[in-house]
């Protein structure tokens, strides 16, 4: 007997928990610095962040301020009364035996952020401290390796941003994380660099039959070090859960790590029982109350946020939403692009040059805006052709000034000179000419190539093409 298998139409349900390292100069509760990358292990510590008995934490005012600004930018309600709590658990990277975090009275709740027309609700944004790091040597603990602890990171200020399960695809999850990065960088709350661990995204992933209002069993994805990895990890997990349920299995609630090497998620820890952290209010820190005037002051100090800037740039420069998104992904690039417009560069060509030639190689450095604007204008005015423009950009990116970068370059636009070259190429290539006249449109490409070659790449190709077509149609 044959029967057709009806596959269930699954809907993805994804919530995100993102930890962000705040851009403060000192740690969350002590005076140790935050610039510890590359320093010897355990050289950036003090009695407070080592968790020695008898020490007292002091709240970092700047961290609170950066959190509040982030929460305001995420449209959250700031809570007038907030406190810190101890989250108790044992792990070798946590010398105190507890982490100072926030439990039932976080600093902010009930926000939202829009990604590509979809609203993602923010459940809460709270402040906590980071733990140290375990460093493993050898292949594994079971083959004679050692584990050592480095507490340089212990006590770094962390902001945790939790969403409702409003995301519906791997692309949503990635877009959310990217939008968050743009936002945090814009307000100066964090470098938000995933590769450096400044932004750590965890995705809670489950699926359910489309139309159902019940939530499926979720898995929590960790070890995600890039936006690409986030996209792949969620995509893999959605597929894995779908296949599991289709074949009659069940999803187990657990933490799964993303393996970049194997391109799959791997079970790390089952979460059959809810962990009990025995939270209680941190007795060494005072609760905080925020004056409405202080919150308003912070709200007014917020710069233009990425979404608003995108809309404005799209309108000002007549760009598509997609191009505007590319140009505003990096704060410096967005500023650079606006400088080009201020300097009189035409918006569309300027956008194309920045997206096509600057963004792919952007590493934090940018050419001088006035020099770059001169290039954009030069190509528009016909002083240089596109190939020459690209060469000039490369030199500008290497630090050359415009005069130096464009030295010796000029587009050959003299109709008489070009016509002479075109006539020579026509007489030297009778086969291509015959092909074109026989209806092979592609043959003109070969002839243009010859003109380009004969002019050492300087020919105004638009003009040369016109001349060629004119002569060949006679
Ligand atoms: Zn310290």
């Amino acid at each position: 007997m044959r029967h057709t298998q009806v596959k269930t139409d699954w809907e993805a349900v994804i919530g995100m928990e993102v930890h962000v390292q705040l851009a403060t100069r000192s740690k969350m509760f002590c005076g140790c610095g935050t610039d510890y990358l590359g320093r010897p292990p355990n050289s950036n510590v003090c009695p407070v962040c080592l968790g020695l008995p008898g020490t007292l934490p002091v709240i970092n005012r700047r961290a609170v301020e950066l959190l509040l600004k982030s929460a305001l930018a995420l449209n959250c309600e700031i809570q007038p009364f907030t406190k810190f709590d101890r989250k108790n658990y044992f792990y070798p990277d946590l010398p105190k035996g507890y982490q100072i975090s926030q439990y039932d009275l976080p600093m902010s709740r009930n926000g939202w952020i829009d990604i590509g027309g979809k609203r993602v609700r923010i459940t809460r944004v709270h402040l906590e401290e980071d733990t140290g790091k375990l460093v493993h040597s050898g292949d594994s603990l079971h083959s004679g390796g050692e584990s050592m602890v480095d507490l340089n990171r212990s006590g770094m200020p962390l902001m945790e941003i939790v969403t409702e399960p409003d995301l519906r695809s791997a692309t949503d999850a990635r877009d959310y994380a990217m939008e968050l990065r743009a936002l945090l960088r814009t307000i100066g709350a964090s470098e938000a660099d995933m590769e450096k661990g400044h932004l750590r995204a965890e995705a809670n992933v489950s699926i359910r039959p489309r139309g159902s209002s019940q939530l499926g069993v979720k898995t929590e994805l960790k070890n995600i070090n890039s936006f690409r990895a986030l996209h792949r990890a969620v995509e893999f997990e959605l597929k894995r859960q779908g296949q599991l349920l289709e074949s009659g299995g069940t999803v187990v609630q657990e933490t799964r790590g993303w393996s970049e090497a194997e391109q799959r998620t791997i079970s790390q820890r089952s979460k059959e029982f809810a962990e009990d952290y025995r939270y209680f209010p941190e007795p060494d820190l005072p609760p905080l109350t925020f004056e409405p005037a202080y919150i308003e002051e912070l709200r007014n100090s917020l710069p233009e946020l990425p979404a608003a800037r995108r809309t404005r740039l799209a309108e000002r420069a007549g760009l598509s939403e997609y191009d505007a998104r590319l140009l505003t992904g990096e704060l410096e690039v967005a500023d650079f692009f606006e400088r080009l417009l201020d300097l009189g560069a035409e918006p569309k060509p300027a956008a194309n040059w920045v997206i096509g030639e600057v963004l792919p190689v952007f590493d934090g450095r940018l050419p001088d805006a006035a020099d770059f604007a001169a290039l954009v204008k030069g190509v528009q005015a016909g002083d240089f052709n596109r190939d020459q423009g690209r060469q000039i950009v490369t030199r500008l990116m290497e630090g050359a000034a415009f005069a130096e970068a464009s030295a010796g370059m000029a587009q050959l636009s003299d109709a008489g000179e070009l016509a002479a070259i075109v006539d020579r190429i026509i007489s030297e290539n009778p086969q291509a000419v015959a092909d074109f006249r026989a209806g092979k449109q592609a043959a003109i490409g070969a002839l243009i190539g010859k003109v380009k070659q004969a002019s050492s790449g300087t020919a105004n190709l638009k003009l040369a093409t016109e001349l060629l077509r004119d002569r060949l149609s006679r």
Side-chain angles (χ1 to χ4, degrees):
M1 192 180 89
R2 292 180 58 193
H3 62 259
T4 36
Q5 197 184 358
V6 180
K7 283 214 169 179
T8 313
D9 180 18
W10 298 106
E11 179 182 48
V13 178
I14 304 160
M16 301 274 290
E17 287 175 27
V18 173
H19 283 91
V20 177
Q21 185 178 308
L22 291 168
T24 57
R25 278 206 297 270
S26 58
K27 288 187 181 179
M28 190 60 230
F29 300 114
C30 64
C32 291
T34 49
D35 187 18
Y36 64 86
L37 282 181
R39 299 216 2 211
N42 300 306
S43 63
N44 187 47
V45 290
C46 73
V48 174
C49 54
L50 283 174
L52 300 185
T55 56
L56 285 174
V58 177
I59 300 172
N60 183 328
R61 189 192 170 93
R62 177 81 179 140
V64 174
E65 191 179 296
L66 291 177
L67 180 134
L68 293 174
K69 285 174 93 166
S70 307
L72 288 167
L74 289 166
N75 305 292
C76 288
E77 297 160 7
I78 306 299
Q79 304 303 298
F81 181 87
T82 181
K83 68 176 169 67
F84 288 97
D85 300 278
R86 288 190 182 178
K87 179 181 180 180
N88 298 284
Y89 66 95
F90 172 78
Y91 203 65
D93 64 6
L94 187 68
K96 290 200 292 274
Y98 61 86
Q99 179 189 21
I100 304 180
S101 181
Q102 296 198 281
Y103 184 50
D104 53 341
L105 294 172
M107 289 191 185
S108 71
R109 297 181 198 268
N110 300 334
W112 53 264
I113 184 171
D114 285 338
I115 50 156
K118 282 187 211 166
R119 181 145 298 187
V120 181
R121 287 170 296 159
I122 307 287
T123 314
R124 59 188 275 158
V125 182
H126 74 244
L127 196 52
E128 60 187 31
E129 61 176 338
D130 208 347
T131 61
K133 239 182 187 173
L134 287 186
V135 184
H136 305 288
S137 74
D139 292 329
S140 81
L141 287 176
H142 308 292
S143 63
E146 287 179 311
S147 283
M148 291 165 286
V149 66
D150 175 7
L151 295 170
N152 281 350
R153 199 181 70 180
S154 173
M156 291 288 289
L158 280 188
M159 168 167 70
E160 183 171 344
I161 304 170
V162 182
T163 74
E164 293 293 305
D166 288 347
L167 302 155
R168 291 289 172 268
S169 66
T171 304
D172 277 2
R174 184 198 52 203
D175 288 354
Y176 167 73
M178 290 181 77
E179 188 70 21
L180 205 54
R181 177 182 68 161
L183 184 95
L184 296 169
R185 287 172 63 97
T186 299
I187 60 180
S190 174
E191 271 186 59
D193 189 330
M194 275 187 106
E195 273 89 356
K196 285 187 195 158
H198 292 165
L199 190 153
R200 294 170 232 158
E202 291 162 27
N204 293 315
V205 177
S206 66
I207 58 172
R208 65 183 173 195
R210 195 174 299 281
S212 163
S213 57
Q214 279 186 324
L215 292 173
V217 176
K218 67 181 177 185
T219 55
E220 195 178 317
L221 306 186
K222 292 193 178 211
N223 293 355
I224 295 167
N225 298 323
S226 66
F227 294 113
R228 206 168 77 146
L230 175 61
H231 189 266
R232 289 194 175 167
V234 173
E235 205 161 54
F236 177 90
E237 189 58 18
L238 290 172
K239 205 168 146 201
R240 188 190 71 87
Q241 292 186 9
Q243 285 170 349
L244 201 57
L245 294 176
E246 301 263 337
S247 64
T250 49
V251 176
V252 181
Q253 188 169 347
E254 62 184 349
T255 302
R256 297 179 68 88
W258 171 247
S259 165
E260 194 61 49
E262 298 176 47
Q263 295 286 301
R264 66 190 189 97
T265 64
I266 296 167
S267 176
Q268 288 185 324
R269 189 155 57 100
S270 107
K271 283 213 160 176
E272 221 172 308
F273 306 101
E275 283 142 298
D276 184 354
Y277 293 115
R278 308 252 161 189
Y279 282 99
F280 65 85
E282 166 61 61
D284 292 337
L285 291 171
L288 297 176
T289 53
F290 301 121
E291 297 287 335
Y294 171 61
I295 299 301
E296 282 319 299
E297 191 185 311
L298 290 179
R299 196 194 300 277
N300 293 333
S301 75
L302 287 177
E304 183 183 29
L305 300 177
R309 185 172 213 184
R310 261 198 312 272
T311 309
R312 187 173 56 75
L313 269 187
E315 277 170 19
R316 176 179 180 188
L319 302 174
S320 67
E321 164 79 17
Y322 183 77
D323 283 356
R325 184 174 290 275
L326 288 178
L327 288 166
T328 51
E330 297 282 350
L331 186 60
E332 296 93 332
V333 174
D335 288 341
F336 177 73
F337 178 67
E338 288 221 65
R339 278 277 292 142
L340 297 180
L341 300 189
D342 293 342
L343 287 159
E346 263 187 67
K348 276 247 169 72
N352 289 341
W353 280 105
V354 173
I355 292 169
E357 306 297 324
V358 176
L359 275 181
V361 295
F362 178 66
D363 62 354
R365 284 175 305 167
L366 287 163
D368 180 77
D371 285 342
F372 201 86
L375 156 87
V376 176
K377 290 182 202 170
V379 175
Q380 284 311 104
D383 300 343
F384 316 104
N385 60 29
R386 286 203 69 82
D387 285 343
Q388 290 171 323
R390 285 200 190 92
Q391 290 176 47
I392 296 173
V393 171
T394 303
R395 293 177 194 169
L396 291 179
M397 299 286 280
E398 287 164 2
F402 178 71
E404 189 189 341
S406 60
M409 280 197 215
Q411 175 163 256
L412 175 56
S413 293
D414 183 283
E417 276 182 64
L418 269 180
I421 296 177
V422 165
D423 288 339
R424 181 156 61 78
I425 296 302
I426 286 176
S427 66
E428 284 172 6
N429 296 275
Q431 187 57 52
V433 170
D435 286 348
F436 179 79
R437 288 192 165 133
K440 268 176 81 178
Q441 288 290 319
I444 201 159
L447 294 169
I448 293 290
K450 302 270 184 200
V451 172
K452 198 167 155 180
Q453 216 173 5
S455 69
S456 312
T458 64
N460 179 331
L461 295 181
K462 191 162 169 274
L463 194 53
T465 308
E466 280 168 21
L467 288 168
L468 253 175
R469 283 192 180 280
D470 176 58
R471 279 162 167 68
L472 292 176
S473 64
R474 280 178 194 168

